[in-house]
Amino acid sequence: MDSREPEIACEFLPFLRVYKDGSIDRLVDPPSVPPSLDDPDTGVSSKDIIISPDTGVSARIYLPKLTNTHQKLPILVYFHGGGFCVGSAFSAADHRYINTLSSQATLLAISIEYRLAPTHPLPTAYEDCWAALQWVSSHSTGGDEPWLTQHGNFDRIFIGGDSAGGNIAHNTVMRAGTESLPNGVRILGAFLSQPYFWGSQPIGSESVEDHHQKVSYRIWKFVCPSSEAGIDDSRVNPCSRTPGCPSLSKLGCRRLLVCVAGKDELRDRDVRYYEAVRESGWEGEVELYEEKEEDHVFHIFNPESENAKNMISRLVAFLQMK
């Protein structure tokens, strides 16, 4: 029996390690938790649903405590983070986070379990999330998910995501600017929390010496090997000057909230994105929210901190706008 350790082909710490035999070790593999009826802390009920039997894409849907049986609620379609290659809508951290948003903003939330790279390289996650948004939108005139048909207000659809999920949210609203959703449904607003964007040339305080060695740089080619433009692909560098890069003026929503953290490696890149949207001629409203003393996705992994509570309050206020 061969007891030798498999040889490492590449690493993307802290996300995963890939071996030469093709096996993958997902180093960040958060524990999953089951859905619950009438959460004891928030009163929110949740359940897991299948969106596409063909692809296996599923979701966890959250319904807050209702004041009456006919109450209509804003809808949030949410995309989790994890570098496109780890993470889950069913993780304990994401369950707690979306449970909190559903409760405090009194909204119906659908957290999408999309397929992960490298087994399913990009654009698979983009396609899965677009298909999920189409599925949600199709319920505006009836469907098989009663929480959506009975309680969803399809005039108030939001999308959102953190880290790689924020990148997915951006690419989803860009697509919504050029492609129609079922039944004429439109996205009211989107929030991008510390979204994953990068580029070939360092900006702001980004390190010049090791820029090309950063995981943020290297992982794009790993998760999206078919990208011809590489790290300046507009999907990861929306401020790219690469020929054919779509204009940010085409964003398919009316309001956009970009949340950054002062100690996050992605901070300057995300601020540049906000400024580019503001200068693009887009006719919507864009806002920037920053917690200067925090790092990447702090609000998910340290939710009891004062800064996390402040950010959650800002997200809630955004999601309650009409």
Side-chain angles (χ1 to χ4, degrees), residues 105 156 158 311-322:
R156 296 184 63 200
F158 295 85
M311 181 170 160
I312 293 294
S313 295
R314 182 65 192 88
L315 291 175
V316 167
F318 178 77
L319 294 166
Q320 288 179 329
M321 288 192 300
K322 296 182 179 179

Side-chain angles (χ1 to χ4, degrees), residues 260-305:
V260 303
K263 297 181 179 180
D264 184 9
E265 177 180 81
L266 303 178
R267 187 265 177 194
D268 291 348
R269 194 69 57 171
D270 293 346
V271 172
R272 171 71 63 87
Y273 169 79
Y274 157 76
E275 292 170 344
V277 171
R278 191 177 59 181
E279 296 165 2
S280 69
W282 180 55
E283 296 180 353
E285 301 173 14
V286 59
E287 299 178 68
L288 179 71
Y289 177 86
E290 180 169 11
E291 283 292 348
K292 294 184 180 297
E293 299 303 317
E294 295 293 349
D295 211 328
H296 197 60
V297 294
F298 68 96
H299 55 294
I300 295 179
F301 295 112
N302 189 19
E304 297 304 318
S305 71

Side-chain angles (χ1 to χ4, degrees), residues 42-58:
T42 64
V44 172
S45 293
S46 56
K47 63 181 178 180
D48 295 341
I49 55 176
I50 298 294
I51 289 178
S52 172
D54 293 335
T55 64
V57 173
S58 59

Side-chain angles (χ1 to χ4, degrees), residues 198-230:
W198 205 248
S200 61
Q201 300 302 316
I203 64 170
S205 62
E206 293 174 3
S207 172
V208 175
E209 290 77 12
D210 62 348
H211 183 75
H212 293 76
Q213 301 304 316
K214 295 282 189 181
V215 171
S216 299
Y217 187 102
R218 295 189 300 116
I219 200 167
W220 176 254
K221 184 176 181 180
F222 177 71
V223 299
C224 193
S226 64
S227 173
E228 295 182 359

